[in-house]
Amino acid sequence: MMNLFSTSNKTIRIILLLSISLFLIALTQKGYCTRNNCSDSIILFLLGWFGMFMGGAGITWIANPLILCSWYFTKNESKYALYTSMLACAICFSFLFFSTVTDNESGQQNQVISYELGYWLWCSSTVVLVVGNVVLQRVQNRRRISNL
């Protein structure tokens, strides 16, 4: 098993490929459904930043820039990669705690009735980042210990 992680660059590429792929596939799916409609993930991604100003569940959109930062930090083997991926993951899953969302321009709140594949793939993208960064951290720690 150690051979799998012998090259951190290879591991980093695998982590990023999996995470980015899950994220991009998520954008092609529905994110969640309310009583009125099911929202396309790509629309949520592109216009969701506006929902942050309306409060409530819209604040979870902030996970998207955190995911982007985590990809950058992971690629550059930064110590911040694990922290940003954990925060993005926590924020993604925090959407489950909101029972209503603003899903139109008038600011009307509607009840979330289901979480669709796009939402779960979005969350999976962050889980891959967290697990991947934990693995990278362990590999780096083993290297430091063996170099002592």
Side-chain angles (χ1 to χ4, degrees):
M1 182 154 178
M2 193 60 182
N3 291 340
L4 176 65
F5 305 115
S6 60
T7 306
S8 65
N9 285 337
K10 180 181 178 183
T11 308
I12 290 169
R13 283 194 306 265
I14 291 168
I15 293 164
L16 290 174
L17 179 66
L18 279 172
S19 179
I20 293 169
S21 296
L22 288 167
F23 187 89
L24 292 175
I25 293 167
L27 295 178
T28 68
Q29 305 297 311
K30 300 290 184 188
Y32 60 84
C33 294
T34 64
R35 294 185 195 275
N36 294 340
N37 68 344
C38 291
S39 299
D40 293 320
S41 295
I42 187 72
I43 300 300
L44 295 170
F45 175 72
L46 295 175
L47 302 177
W49 62 271
F50 186 71
M52 288 189 345
F53 301 113
M54 296 181 166
I59 197 72
T60 60
W61 185 87
I62 197 73
N64 291 314
L66 287 170
I67 293 168
L68 298 174
C69 287
S70 185
W71 290 339
Y72 174 79
F73 290 144
T74 301
K75 181 183 180 302
N76 293 309
E77 299 183 57
S78 169
K79 64 181 179 180
Y80 301 112
L82 180 58
Y83 304 122
T84 55
S85 63
M86 287 171 51
L87 186 57
C89 189
I91 292 171
C92 282
F93 281 102
S94 74
F95 185 74
L96 294 170
F97 294 109
F98 294 94
S99 59
T100 61
V101 294
T102 303
D103 67 350
N104 59 36
E105 300 81 22
S106 69
Q108 179 183 359
Q109 294 281 316
N110 288 301
Q111 184 177 4
V112 176
I113 58 171
S114 68
Y115 302 96
E116 301 301 317
L117 184 59
Y119 172 73
W120 297 113
L121 290 170
W122 182 54
C123 290
S124 297
S125 172
T126 63
V127 170
V128 166
L129 271 175
V130 170
V131 171
N133 279 302
V134 166
V135 168
L136 285 173
Q137 200 73 20
R138 290 187 60 137
V139 168
Q140 289 171 354
N141 289 342
R142 285 183 184 166
R143 285 189 185 146
R144 283 189 204 120
I145 290 171
S146 67
N147 288 336
L148 293 177

